[in-house]
Each structure stands twice: as C-alpha cells, then as structure tokens.
Amino acid sequence: MKEELSEVNIHPDDYVNDLYKEDPLLAEVIQTIKEKGMPEVSVAPAYGRLLTFLVQTSGAKKVLEIGALGGYSGICLSRGMSEEGRLTSLELKEEYAALAHAHLTKAGYGEKVEYKIGPAADSLEELKKEGKKFDFFFIDADKENYPVYLEYAIQLANPGAIIAGDNCFLRGRTLNTEKNGPSVQAVRKFNESIATDERLISTMLPAYDGLALAIVK
C-alpha cells in the first residue's frame, strides 16, 4: 500500500518568505513606517530581493525610483548598484523623502541618492528636458499616473534599460471586472501597454500583488 502524503496548506508567498531570514534594517524601515502612520505599502521582501538581483545582474549605473515612501525599495535598489551607481528618487511628500533618505543613509547609501520632491510627472518632465537617461526604473507610486510614468520611463531609458512596475493587481481589483475606478483603469492600461508596446520586451510575475518587468529595446 502506498504511503499517503499529508497535505500542508502553505501559501507559496509565505513559503518563500520563510526560506529567508528577516532583514533587520528593512524590518526597521517597515516598523518606522507603521509608527509614523504612513501607508504600509512597501514592496514584499521577495520582490525587494528581486530588485537587488535585477539591478546587480543588469549592471545598472543610473537608477530611477518613482515613489520613495520610507526607503524600503530604495535600499533594495541601492544594494544592487555598483560603487559608481546612483539612485534618483521621486517623491511627492518632503517628509517621506526625508525619512527615506535617513534610512538610506543608515544603510550606507545616503551619498548615492538624490531626491526630487513634488509631483512625479513634473520631475520626469524636468529630467527629460535635462537629457537624463537611466538604466533601471522602479515604478511604485500613485496608480492613476502609471501609464504616464511608463511612457516617461521609455523616453528616459538607455537601450536595454529595465522597467519594473509594482502592484499590477491592486490587491485583486485589477482582475475583478466589476471594479472600474480610476486607479483600476489606469493600472489595466499600464499592464496592457507593458504587454503590447513594441518598444518593450516584457513579462509579468503573478505573485504577491503583481510585478511587471520590461526591457526597453
């Protein structure tokens, strides 16, 4: 008689997270965000590690982050950069950028990051006028402007640059045909553009809250 295997109901996301020890510095960032009453929307630990992995393997020297919050993703991006790497972070709120900078400074990257405060679309237009180019983009900000940010990223990209966009599922709302609010419609448009724009080679990871990845041709 074959031995029956007992089934264990473990979610794949939890299984992956349990494989890795908690990162004390990133845990501190999460705790500080919570204590200050800021939105608790930092990237999942596995996606943070993926950002580090992608930046390092791509050899990106100029990284652009749209949405700093408390600095969680900024630390993950910076960990993948080489010594000459530099991070430009766009953040609407000055107090969020200040906290993010404090955390990046504690992580040893304070001198490698520049913050631009104000609406991200305005900062992106400024960067475009300055002729700036980047090798890696991480989009994790207000969802209604995701399509705008994607277009700017493509225009600001060096050939071969990587674009990563978080929260493509909006906690399931993007997948729910009964949900059609402005943010949902904008993210759907972003997802469709990532999938069909001929200037991109892309994929989407259906884990956590969805992560879109694209390479600019």
Side-chain angles (χ1 to χ4, degrees):
M1 180 181 294
K2 292 183 178 180
E3 182 179 357
E4 293 185 2
L5 297 176
S6 60
E7 292 186 1
V8 180
N9 187 21
I10 301 176
H11 194 280
D13 297 350
D14 295 329
Y15 176 79
V16 172
N17 285 334
D18 288 343
L19 289 175
Y20 295 87
K21 293 181 180 179
E22 184 177 60
D23 187 302
L25 180 57
L26 294 179
E28 179 181 332
V29 174
I30 294 295
Q31 182 61 32
T32 304
I33 287 173
K34 183 176 181 180
E35 291 173 354
K36 290 185 175 294
M38 297 165 61
E40 297 179 48
V41 293
S42 299
V43 297
Y47 274 179
R49 289 189 294 272
L50 179 59
L51 291 176
T52 301
F53 182 93
L54 290 171
V55 172
Q56 184 168 343
T57 54
S58 68
K61 295 181 179 179
K62 300 293 183 181
V63 179
L64 179 64
E65 171 189 48
I66 305 176
L69 192 61
Y72 191 108
S73 58
I75 291 173
C76 295
L77 293 165
S78 297
R79 284 176 171 174
M81 297 189 309
S82 60
E83 183 62 32
E84 63 270 27
R86 292 293 181 270
L87 171 66
T88 299
S89 183
L90 312 185
E91 174 54 53
L92 178 64
K93 298 185 178 182
E94 187 171 358
E95 62 270 27
Y96 287 8
L99 180 63
H101 193 206
H103 283 141
L104 264 76
T105 299
K106 186 170 184 179
Y109 305 112
E111 295 182 357
K112 289 189 172 187
V113 59
E114 174 190 7
Y115 290 92
K116 290 186 176 294
I117 312 301
D122 294 346
S123 297
L124 289 164
E125 180 63 25
E126 179 183 338
L127 291 169
K128 180 181 175 182
K129 290 179 179 178
E130 293 173 355
K132 297 294 180 65
K133 294 290 183 179
F134 297 89
D135 307 308
F136 194 101
F137 301 82
F138 180 53
I139 303 173
D140 188 16
D142 57 300
K143 309 312 173 191
E144 291 185 31
N145 279 312
Y146 260 39
V148 175
Y149 299 154
L150 176 60
E151 182 58 35
Y152 269 113
I154 294 172
Q155 294 182 25
L156 292 169
N158 283 319
I162 292 175
I163 300 174
D166 197 25
N167 303 123
C168 295
F169 296 160
L170 286 179
R171 303 183 186 278
R173 285 182 290 155
T174 307
L175 315 179
N176 187 342
T177 56
E178 296 181 0
K179 300 293 185 179
N180 291 290
S183 294
V184 173
Q185 292 187 50
V187 172
R188 284 181 183 146
K189 182 178 179 181
F190 171 87
N191 293 344
E192 291 165 3
S193 296
I194 282 280
T196 61
D197 195 305
E198 294 183 354
R199 295 170 294 178
L200 304 173
I201 300 171
S202 69
T203 189
M204 187 172 293
L205 304 183
Y208 297 96
D209 198 25
L211 184 72
L213 294 173
I215 296 175
V216 181
K217 295 180 181 177

